[in-house]
Amino acid sequence: MLLDFINIEKVRRAIVWFGVLLLVLLLQNGILGPITVFGTHFFIAPVALCAMACCEGGVWGAVFGLFLGLFCDMYGNGPAVLLTVVFPILGFLSGAASAYLVNRRFFAFFFLTLAVCFVTALCQLFRFAVFGGSPVLPLLLTALLQTALVLPFTWLFYRPFRRISALELGS
């Protein structure tokens, strides 16, 4: 009786995407964490968020973004809720854009990921420009460098995330 109210396929899909989230965080924090290029770290979470949202849609992208932002905020040393607020918004907008504005091919995904990564970098650097009094040009260069560092990971995430999205998880 209770199982009539639960969509088992969605529960299975959520479990699979949660496993993917943990793998992304392991790759980001465990493997790529110590690596810096000109003082900038690799931050691949926005790429994974955009890939998942483009494959599953806006609602799933927002939920994935909420959990991804929560875990990134717990690990990071930035503001406590920045990514928890920004990632669900970007996940929903990415999913909605892929559903209604652009096609789901790699070229559109690449530029959507470029926008998501750059907006994320700008949100991270906003407090330094406004409250820290840092000059804007070095901050913009840092945002561009952080975005450029993770764009090659679009190749890594695009096809596996599309295949995970296409899995039939029902019984």
Side-chain angles (χ1 to χ4, degrees), residues 92-129:
F92 178 77
L93 291 176
S94 299
S98 72
Y100 299 112
L101 295 177
V102 297
N103 61 19
R104 294 184 182 212
R105 304 224 189 276
F106 179 76
F107 189 70
F109 164 71
F110 182 81
F111 284 104
L112 195 58
T113 303
L114 176 73
V116 166
C117 290
F118 190 67
V119 168
T120 302
L122 288 178
C123 288
Q124 289 175 318
L125 298 174
F126 178 76
R127 68 182 170 122
F128 296 112

Side-chain angles (χ1 to χ4, degrees), residues 2-159:
L2 181 63
L3 291 178
D4 293 337
F5 294 109
I6 298 173
N7 188 341
I8 299 297
E9 181 185 349
K10 287 185 179 180
V11 171
R12 289 179 182 155
R13 187 166 297 282
I15 290 170
V16 167
W17 283 116
F18 188 75
V20 169
L21 179 138
L22 292 177
L23 286 175
V24 166
L25 290 173
L26 175 70
L27 177 64
Q28 176 179 301
N29 298 333
I31 298 170
L32 296 173
I35 301 171
T36 60
V37 177
F38 298 118
T40 304
H41 292 275
F42 287 88
F43 190 53
I44 61 170
V47 179
L49 172 65
C50 190
M52 192 276 182
C54 286
C55 293
E56 291 289 341
V59 174
W60 281 91
V63 172
F64 187 78
L66 178 68
F67 285 104
L68 186 62
L70 184 66
F71 286 124
C72 285
D73 279 337
M74 284 192 303
Y75 182 78
N77 57 0
V81 296
L82 175 73
L83 297 175
T84 306
V85 172
V86 170
F87 275 179
I89 295 168
L90 291 177
F92 178 77
L93 291 176
S94 299
S98 72
Y100 299 112
L101 295 177
V102 297
N103 61 19
R104 294 184 182 212
R105 304 224 189 276
F106 179 76
F107 189 70
F109 164 71
F110 182 81
F111 284 104
L112 195 58
T113 303
L114 176 73
V116 166
C117 290
F118 190 67
V119 168
T120 302
L122 288 178
C123 288
Q124 289 175 318
L125 298 174
F126 178 76
R127 68 182 170 122
F128 296 112
V130 173
F131 303 116
S134 298
V136 175
L137 185 61
L139 293 177
L140 284 176
L141 291 175
T142 303
L144 287 172
L145 179 61
Q146 179 176 330
T147 302
L149 284 176
V150 298
L151 284 181
F153 288 93
T154 56
W155 292 98
L156 179 68
F157 289 140
Y158 180 71
R159 288 213 186 264

